[in-house]
Structure formats: structure tokens, C-alpha cells
């Protein structure tokens, strides 16, 4: 038996009000949208335990994934985190004030800046990422293994159409 949820109710209303339109895509897109909101809420709760916002976690994680010496140019960092340079500057200001990152002029580009994790920043992101990874295991663990594998394949294929 199909479980009735919020999205199913919306689809039923549209089917009643506009039977001439196909509301079936709402079953997928509406549920993905609602699920993304729930997942984000679950993820940011872990970041908050380390006094990080989602964006700050993303910046620190991007620097940590860069490998030693754990640094990137500000432009690379903006590209890897998909945020504007203005938004990045605000995040970097806060992270630098907390001693988690340091900025210095680029040797190759006089206008550019290099952003690097500090030792404290590396400690914080390593602890936060450990908790984040466990949280993700918990969240995807709500599904059977076969469903997780199928969903990953489907989402990979669909995302590739956009990227």
C-alpha cells in the first residue's frame, strides 16, 4: 500500500482542480525538495555543535580536502564552494577571527589571496567532519542498502544531465 504524505495530498488537489495537467512529477520533485529541507536541518545541527554554519563548514572542508598544505586561492575556494566572492569574504572574516583560517597575499597574483587552514582549523574540521560523516551514515541508514545503491545511481544519472 502506498504511504500518503504531504506531497500526495498536493498531487490529489491538483488532479481534482486541473485534471488536464500531469502533476506526477511533483511526486518526485516535491519529495526531493521536502527531503532536502529535512536533511539540511539534520546536517546543520551537527555543524552547530562546532559553532559552524553550513557555509563555514563547507569552506573548512574544502580547504581540508585540498591536502597539505591545506590551502587554496580565494578564487578557487569560491569556485569549489559555489558561493560568491562577497559571501566568501564574510565567511573568511569570521573564520579568521576565530583562528581557523589565515589569509596571505598570493605570490603569483598581487591582487589574489591565499586562504589556509590553521592548525586549530584543521582540528575543528577533522572533529566536525567525523561527526558529519557519522550523521550521514545515520541518515542514509534509514533506507535498506539496496535502495541506497539504487538511489545513488539514479541521482548520479539525473545530476549528470545538469552538470
Amino acid at each position: 500500500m502506498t504511504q500518503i504524505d504531504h506531497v500526495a495530498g498536493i498531487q490529489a488537489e491538483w488532479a481534482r482542480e486541473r485534471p488536464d495537467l500531469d502533476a506526477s512529477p511533483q511526486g518526485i520533485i516535491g519529495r526531493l525538495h521536502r527531503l532536502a529541507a529535512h536533511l539540511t536541518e539534520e546536517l546543520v545541527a551537527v555543524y552547530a555543535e562546532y559553532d559552524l554554519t553550513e557555509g563555514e563548514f563547507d569552506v573548512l572542508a574544502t580547504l581540508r580536502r585540498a591536502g597539505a598544505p591545506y590551502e587554496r586561492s580565494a578564487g578557487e575556494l569560491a569556485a569549489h564552494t559555489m558561493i560568491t566572492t562577497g559571501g566568501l569574504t564574510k565567511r573568511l572574516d569570521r573564520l579568521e577571527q576565530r583562528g581557523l583560517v589565515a589569509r596571505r597575499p598570493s605570490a603569483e597574483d598581487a591582487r589574489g589571496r591565499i586562504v589556509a587552514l590553521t592548525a586549530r582549523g584543521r582540528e575543528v574540521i577533522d572533529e566536525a567532519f567525523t561527526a558529519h560523516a557519522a550523521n550521514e551514515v545515520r541518515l542514509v541508514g534509514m533506507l535498506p542498502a539496496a535502495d541506497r545503491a539504487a538511489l545513488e545511481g539514479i541521482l548520479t544519472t539525473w545530476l549528470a544531465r545538469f552538470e
Side-chain angles (χ1 to χ4, degrees):
M1 178 177 210
T2 304
Q3 184 176 353
I4 302 298
D5 61 16
H6 183 78
V7 174
I10 291 171
Q11 286 178 289
E13 291 170 350
W14 279 120
R16 182 190 69 230
E17 295 300 315
R18 291 295 308 270
D20 58 311
L21 296 178
D22 179 11
S24 64
Q26 288 183 336
I28 296 169
I29 294 172
R31 286 183 181 94
L32 282 173
H33 184 74
R34 291 178 60 82
L35 181 60
H38 288 293
L39 291 174
T40 297
E41 187 177 306
E42 295 285 335
L43 296 174
V44 299
V46 171
Y47 308 148
E49 293 174 19
Y50 297 88
D51 194 26
L52 297 171
T53 65
E54 185 174 28
E56 292 165 346
F57 177 90
D58 193 20
V59 167
L60 295 177
T62 300
L63 290 170
R64 180 64 173 93
R65 288 192 320 267
Y70 310 111
E71 63 184 30
R72 292 192 185 271
S73 72
E76 289 173 324
L77 199 52
H80 283 277
T81 57
M82 298 184 300
I83 58 173
T84 65
T85 53
L88 179 62
T89 298
K90 291 176 187 176
R91 289 177 185 154
L92 292 177
D93 287 347
R94 183 163 186 260
L95 292 169
E96 190 171 40
Q97 288 169 358
R98 294 178 53 207
L100 303 178
V101 301
R103 289 180 275 195
R104 69 177 192 282
S106 170
E108 291 86 37
D109 178 2
R111 297 170 298 158
R113 306 284 284 170
I114 300 297
V115 181
L117 275 179
T118 62
R120 178 68 187 134
R122 185 171 171 202
E123 289 173 16
V124 168
I125 193 56
D126 281 350
E127 291 173 19
F129 188 75
T130 298
H132 170 73
N135 192 34
E136 286 188 328
V137 166
R138 177 185 68 83
L139 292 168
V140 300
M142 295 176 181
L143 297 173
D147 289 354
R148 291 192 304 263
L151 183 59
E152 184 174 8
I154 292 165
L155 292 175
T156 299
T157 300
W158 196 9
L159 183 59
R161 305 277 171 109
F162 289 93
E163 297 181 342

